[in-house]
Amino acid sequence: MPDVTAPAQPAPAQPAPGLHPVYVIGGGPGGLAAAYALRAKGIRAVVLEKSDRVGASWRRHYDRLRLHTTRRASALPGLAIPRRFGRWVARDNVVRYLEKYAEHHRLEIVTGVEVTRVDRSPDGTGWLLHATGGRELTGAAVVVATGYNHTPYIPDWPGLTEYGGDFRHARDYRNPEPYAGRDVLVVGIGNTGAEIAVDLVEGGASRVRLAVRTAPHIFRRTTAGWPTQYNGILIRRLPVRLVDVLARPLARLSVPDLSAHGLPRPDTGLYSRQREGAVPVQDVGLIDAVRRGRVEIVAAVDSFEDGKVVLADGTRVGPDAVIAATGYVRALEGLVGHLDVLDERGRPVVHGGRTPGHAHGLFFTGFTNPISGMFRELAIDAEKIAKAVARTCGERVSGLPG
């Protein structure tokens, strides 16, 4: 895949005294969208990306991944996703789109620079960024866009450190080829776990078990040609209880009862669960695989003991490999945790165009996973952030160079 992003370069020089750029931390879709929206308003935005290319997290995802949201409803502001990429855009094409986005909009991107801490500037009017190489950069405002899937999360299972079997987090899974003919236990039934389980079955694994702690809400990606994402867009501003009520009959009509196979219908509402961070599973083959017994649903993992995996119901299993699709943490504590801008779960207390009352000029994007679609919400957030920066920080930000 060609790399068309800007090559690594030294950190940019500071602009004229009293005027500073807006620094965007993270060169993923959220950071690139925010940088373009700021640039469109004549505001200089500098993207700081710790890897050597944009879209780093997307490059690490497993091979078969596609956006679960439609091409038309996933474009970032200012550039449509090419029609040739199809309705459900593949991972490699998402990366190509992000590369083209950065090139097309001539975004100012500095790669190989990791921001480790954000503080108020000494004069209290802006922000001081501490970065690798001893860099200290002053920004009129800061947009934190380090990503929802930042740091792999692995539960503190008893015995895991002594377990000698083949164990890895889902971030390190690429394709089913290494697992052909093997017995694999996938832990976690989010979208990643569900899709990896199906990928393994289709790729020739001899047995695939899926460990489930709490049965998820499952929806077809489309019903009679209508994408589930469109429902998410329609209901995103409705009251939580109303959405919970409306979602039940839709689920019963589109998804069969899998209780006999170990996946009962959830007893909590769709939107209530989503607000708690549990994203509904978009079906890309799991329903049929479970019904046919190709993916076996088993109890959650409780511990590891004597080379075996102990499940919550007391069953002991000995798979050839364990893949933990147990999610990610945002890992924002070291960066901004000291600023009192995170909740008890480590998530920003505000996002989009709003800033914490005591931290004006500090913005966050990409730390929610809405049912209306991540890319769509990133695009909306980008416009809101640019408007807020222009309104509240306009007299301190530097304009576009040249």
Side-chain angles (χ1 to χ4, degrees), residues 380-398:
I380 293 172
D381 278 356
E383 303 286 359
K384 291 180 177 178
I385 290 170
K387 289 179 181 178
V389 170
R391 183 178 65 252
T392 62
C393 308
E395 73 283 357
R396 301 194 304 275
V397 297
S398 58

Side-chain angles (χ1 to χ4, degrees), residues 150-360:
H150 188 276
T151 301
Y153 168 71
I154 297 177
D156 187 19
W157 286 307
L160 177 59
T161 55
E162 292 78 35
Y163 180 66
D166 183 347
F167 178 95
R168 70 192 61 203
H169 189 271
R171 187 175 75 168
D172 299 319
Y173 175 87
R174 290 295 174 267
N175 58 63
E177 184 176 346
Y179 303 95
R182 303 179 70 193
D183 179 343
V184 187
L185 174 67
V186 180
V187 186
I189 193 173
N191 279 296
T192 297
E195 190 157 0
I196 287 177
V198 173
D199 199 32
L200 289 165
V201 165
E202 295 177 354
S206 63
R207 185 178 189 180
V208 178
R209 284 173 282 200
L210 184 56
V212 177
R213 182 172 302 279
T214 304
H217 287 273
I218 303 176
F219 283 92
R220 303 281 189 185
R221 191 161 60 179
T222 61
T223 302
W226 178 261
T228 295
Q229 180 196 9
Y230 293 176
N231 293 331
I233 293 171
L234 292 173
I235 65 175
R236 65 188 291 271
R237 296 195 180 280
L238 293 179
V240 172
R241 290 186 180 181
L242 177 59
V243 174
D244 286 348
V245 171
L246 294 175
R248 291 192 189 102
L250 178 61
R252 293 183 183 279
L253 285 173
S254 61
V255 178
D257 187 359
L258 300 174
S259 299
H261 303 279
L263 277 181
R265 296 189 189 277
D267 54 8
T268 52
L270 167 69
Y271 214 3
S272 297
R273 288 276 295 276
Q274 191 272 336
R275 286 292 186 88
E276 296 171 358
V279 180
V281 172
Q282 298 264 0
D283 176 52
V284 290
L286 179 68
I287 293 174
D288 288 342
V290 169
R291 293 177 75 181
R292 296 178 182 178
R294 301 181 71 191
V295 171
E296 305 170 43
I297 303 299
V298 298
V301 170
D302 184 69
S303 61
F304 291 76
E305 185 177 320
D306 298 329
K308 301 288 186 179
V309 183
V310 182
L311 305 181
D313 61 1
T315 304
R316 296 165 64 91
V317 298
D320 298 321
V322 179
I323 300 173
T326 45
Y328 296 79
V329 293
R330 314 295 83 83
L332 291 169
E333 287 78 7
L335 186 69
V336 296
H338 56 288
L339 298 172
D340 192 27
V341 294
L342 305 177
D343 64 16
E344 66 281 357
R345 297 173 64 182
R347 303 173 302 183
V349 294
V350 295
H351 70 277
R354 296 182 296 155
T355 60
H358 58 286
H360 291 296

Side-chain angles (χ1 to χ4, degrees), residues 6 38 75 79 85 91 130 158 175 200 230 278 293 310 325 331 336 376-377:
L38 289 161
L79 185 68
F85 288 173
R91 179 205 64 183
H130 305 269
N175 58 63
L200 289 165
Y230 293 176
V310 182
V336 296
R376 182 179 184 275
E377 295 300 321

Side-chain angles (χ1 to χ4, degrees), residues 11-23:
Q14 293 295 314
L19 297 179
H20 299 283
V22 175
Y23 283 108

